[in-house]
Amino acid sequence: MRHAGVPACLGCHGRQDRSPFYPSLAGQPERYIAAQLGLFRAGKRGGTRFGHLMANAAKGLTDDDIRALAAYFSRSAAPSATGTR
């Protein structure tokens, strides 16, 4: 799934050296991820001063996209402290 104008999730959320403002999504419950993406898409979720970035990224996602992303990240292993999986 690739959409023009939608940044890659892993660029911010998948890096070992990510900012604490960008939480790891790996291993989060599927329903939680889907719900949060839906809230961002609807403009009803903020959180940090970077919430607008997620709202902008999520606005182009379809319901199928959200389900696929939630499934992918919920089944992904969180990176270890050494950066390996």
Side-chain angles (χ1 to χ4, degrees), residues 1 7 33-34 38 53 58 62 69 84:
M1 149 188 28
I33 295 169
L53 298 174
T62 66
L69 286 166
T84 60

Side-chain angles (χ1 to χ4, degrees), residues 4 7-8 11 16 21-22 25 28-29 32 35 38 42 54 57-58 64-65 77-78 84:
Q16 183 67 30
F21 290 108
Y22 305 133
L25 300 178
Q28 294 288 339
Y32 173 78
M54 275 305 304
D64 287 341
D65 293 336
T84 60

Side-chain angles (χ1 to χ4, degrees), residues 2-85:
R2 203 146 234 259
H3 294 283
V6 177
C9 303
L10 294 172
C12 295
H13 294 282
R15 297 170 49 130
Q16 183 67 30
D17 65 344
R18 72 187 177 284
S19 164
F21 290 108
Y22 305 133
S24 175
L25 300 178
Q28 294 288 339
E30 188 170 343
R31 291 176 79 185
Y32 173 78
I33 295 169
Q36 299 310 305
L37 286 171
L39 290 170
F40 276 119
R41 182 178 65 182
K44 297 181 179 181
R45 170 78 163 80
T48 71
R49 64 181 180 225
F50 301 106
H52 68 284
L53 298 174
M54 275 305 304
N56 190 48
K59 72 181 176 186
L61 297 175
T62 66
D63 289 343
D64 287 341
D65 293 336
I66 288 175
R67 282 190 289 274
L69 286 166
Y72 172 81
F73 281 108
S74 70
R75 292 175 180 94
S76 297
S80 71
T82 62
T84 60
R85 291 187 170 232

